[in-house]
Amino acid sequence: MQHGVLVAVPAVRAALGYDARRRSADDPRAAKATTLDNISIAIHCVGALMLFLGYAAAEARAIGFCIFQRSDVGLRTVSAEEQFVRKVLLGGIVFFYGMFCFMIAMCNIDFTNWGFHGDVWSPRHDQARNKNVFLLEDTASGLGLLVKVASYMCEVLCGFCLLGSHMAIWYFCEERHCDLPDELEHLAPSP
């Protein structure tokens, strides 16, 4: 399924020198994704991009991370401790998302000469649909398996940093200390 990322993202294909015209349908490195798979992959990739990088950009603007300047409100309301914690978590989001993208790119490059053993697919004829399909014969092992697990772990750690960032905002906000009335007076029955 990860091979479909190259089909869904033309910029990644061009950057890696991937040329689909040079690969036949019987090439074991060719993408195994169907058109519906490619649509699902594209939706997932755009959603993940909006989630991680969209949040990172908004948070960077709020706390003055890297090239962004802190806003006047942020200068007055965000303590030095809160800013440090949020910057560390934001750095984790950026680092782990970047590593995730790098690992996914590595999954789509043929490194068999370096000990990278990726998934092995073989074409079979599906009599029910009367067409050739690819079946997974052997899963990745060695360096190939390590890269796949590392890409997954980077995505998970990026998500944990994002959740931690939300928790840090909640922990340091003044509003969590407000004691609101337990009853809504306008809904209470009148005597």
Side-chain angles (χ1 to χ4, degrees), residues 62-138:
I63 62 173
F65 187 76
C66 288
I67 62 170
F68 295 97
Q69 296 292 323
R70 273 177 80 180
S71 65
D72 293 336
V73 174
L75 288 170
R76 291 191 309 266
T77 59
V78 177
S79 68
E81 181 184 11
E82 177 183 0
Q83 184 179 11
F84 174 76
V85 169
R86 287 172 65 180
K87 278 187 175 183
V88 167
L89 290 168
L90 181 57
I93 292 170
V94 172
F95 174 76
F96 287 121
Y97 190 75
M99 289 303 296
F100 165 72
C101 292
F102 176 72
M103 295 293 173
I104 288 296
M106 282 186 65
C107 286
N108 289 292
I109 297 174
D110 185 20
F111 287 113
T112 52
N113 295 339
W114 299 355
F116 182 98
H117 174 67
D119 294 335
V120 177
W121 297 83
S122 65
R124 297 278 192 263
H125 184 73
D126 183 3
Q127 293 177 351
R129 293 185 285 177
N130 196 24
K131 68 179 202 175
N132 289 333
V133 296
F134 287 92
L135 297 176
L136 183 62
E137 293 258 330
D138 188 17

Side-chain angles (χ1 to χ4, degrees), residues 118-179:
D119 294 335
V120 177
W121 297 83
S122 65
R124 297 278 192 263
H125 184 73
D126 183 3
Q127 293 177 351
R129 293 185 285 177
N130 196 24
K131 68 179 202 175
N132 289 333
V133 296
F134 287 92
L135 297 176
L136 183 62
E137 293 258 330
D138 188 17
T139 58
S141 64
L143 183 60
L145 180 61
L146 179 67
V147 169
K148 284 187 168 197
V149 170
S151 72
Y152 174 74
M153 290 305 299
C154 287
E155 188 175 23
V156 168
L157 290 171
C158 181
F160 282 150
C161 287
L162 190 133
L163 290 173
S165 180
H166 281 85
M167 295 301 288
I169 293 169
W170 169 82
Y171 179 79
F172 287 107
C173 76
E174 294 177 14
E175 291 81 7
R176 77 179 184 99
H177 300 292
C178 293
D179 188 22

Side-chain angles (χ1 to χ4, degrees), residues 17-64:
Y18 180 88
D19 187 2
R21 294 172 299 197
R22 293 185 306 185
R23 294 190 174 181
S24 69
D26 295 330
D27 186 347
R29 295 172 297 154
K32 307 301 180 281
T34 64
T35 303
L36 185 58
D37 291 336
N38 288 331
I39 291 169
S40 299
I41 291 167
I43 290 170
H44 173 80
C45 289
V46 169
L49 189 72
M50 290 187 317
L51 171 68
F52 293 121
L53 295 186
Y55 178 79
E59 181 70 351
R61 173 71 176 101
I63 62 173

